[in-house]
Amino acid sequence: MNTILYRPSLPESLQRVLRDDHGAVELPEASRAQMAFLQSEVQNVEVLVTSGPRGADATLIAALPALRAIVSFGVGVDAIDFHAARERGIHVSNTPDVLTDAVADLAVALYLDLLRGVSAADRYVRRGDWGHEPRRALGHDATGRRVGILGLGRIGRAIARRLQGFGCDIAYFSRSPREDVDFHYFDTPEKLAQAVEVLFITVAGGAETRDLVNRRVLEALGRGYLVNVSRGTVVDEDALIEALEKGRLAGAALDVFAREPRVPDALRKMDNVVLTPHMGSATEETRVAMVDLALANLRSFLEYGRLVTPVV
Ligand code: 8YV
């Protein structure tokens, strides 16, 4: 029996190598098929290869009695039940660094789109509205804005570096001030939101950050803009929709949602909202690097019992 299991949400190129070179088997995702599979064919599974958004919950971990490592494709590990993994001494790896620039690039693309209305203008031209009344509303300068970064990790810093090129004044919130940057530090998300015009969310997902951007934070942001490239769970989606519907928030650009791939209808209808399908790391170059790093983790674990980029 094979000892490696993988989820079909992984890129096809990775699945092929897992099957062909490592004899890995696919975990069925349909709930009934998965239940039957987990009851009969998994006694010897030692490694699970999963993706950031799908992760591995406590039920799946409990169903794999021989599991020793979880190799995740993506940097976010919020969908992995760490408590269950730690209790059993199961090692976990992710794919940090290789996707930082791609995610930061998308965040800046969303920022520019939001302030200049690029997607909305594209819809306007395609509808044939150009040259007719009413005229398109003016956008706002993306240069020289006060921006806030919620969670100054690798991706947050990469966004900050890019925005410095736009002459933006950068502030951030994280659990403690970072000594190696001279951006303004705020010790609560609310204070940060109060001080900026555009709030970028790059903090990791998970129980600790669930609804961190709540009604109060959105109110503090006022007629500002929100850009989220982290996890949908960090934002209270109902409060966000309400703030946008009531015109309290100027706009939002969202690559992630609370219940992906479900995107609330209310958001789809708004012209001041930019929506993308969780594609921060979705470039050919970055995905190749992520596949390589996931495979390096798998191979290192199989050979030496050690992961290359363990999550600590
Ligand atoms: C996904 C991500 O992993 O890195 C993360 O945490 O959310 C993404 O890069 C990627 O879409 C694969 O599912």
Side-chain angles (χ1 to χ4, degrees), residues 51-53 73-76 99 231 278 281 287 290:
S51 66
F73 177 83
V75 69
L99 48 65
R231 287 291 183 261
H278 197 149
S281 67
R287 286 293 166 86
M290 289 167 69

Side-chain angles (χ1 to χ4, degrees), residues 9-11 50-54 72-78 94-96 99 103 155 229-231 255-256 260 277-282 286-287 290:
S9 52
L10 295 171
T50 188
S51 66
R54 299 309 291 247
S72 187
F73 177 83
V75 69
V77 287
D78 49 300
N94 61 349
T95 59
L99 48 65
V103 179
I155 293 170
V229 291
S230 164
R231 287 291 183 261
D255 185 47
V256 287
E260 292 172 13
H278 197 149
M279 58 181 233
S281 67
T286 293
R287 286 293 166 86
M290 289 167 69

Side-chain angles (χ1 to χ4, degrees), residues 21 24 78 102 154 266 282:
D21 295 3
D78 49 300
R154 285 178 278 242

Side-chain angles (χ1 to χ4, degrees), residues 2-44:
N2 294 291
T3 61
I4 300 168
L5 190 64
Y6 68 87
R7 300 197 91 133
S9 52
L10 295 171
E12 190 46 53
S13 61
L14 176 55
Q15 295 189 39
R16 202 174 318 116
V17 177
L18 291 172
R19 277 193 307 269
D20 296 352
D21 295 3
H22 298 283
V25 290
E26 180 179 317
L27 173 70
E29 291 293 3
S31 56
R32 198 171 294 184
Q34 185 173 105
M35 225 186 297
F37 179 85
L38 291 175
Q39 273 161 14
S40 60
E41 302 186 44
V42 295
Q43 293 309 304
N44 300 322

Side-chain angles (χ1 to χ4, degrees), residues 1 11 25 39 41 96-97 101-102 133 135 139 167 170 175-176 233 301 306-307:
M1 176 63 198
V25 290
Q39 273 161 14
E41 302 186 44
D97 299 316
D101 286 329
E133 295 296 332
R135 292 194 202 171
I170 294 158
R175 267 176 301 191
S176 52
T233 51
F301 189 79
R306 266 197 322 272
L307 294 161

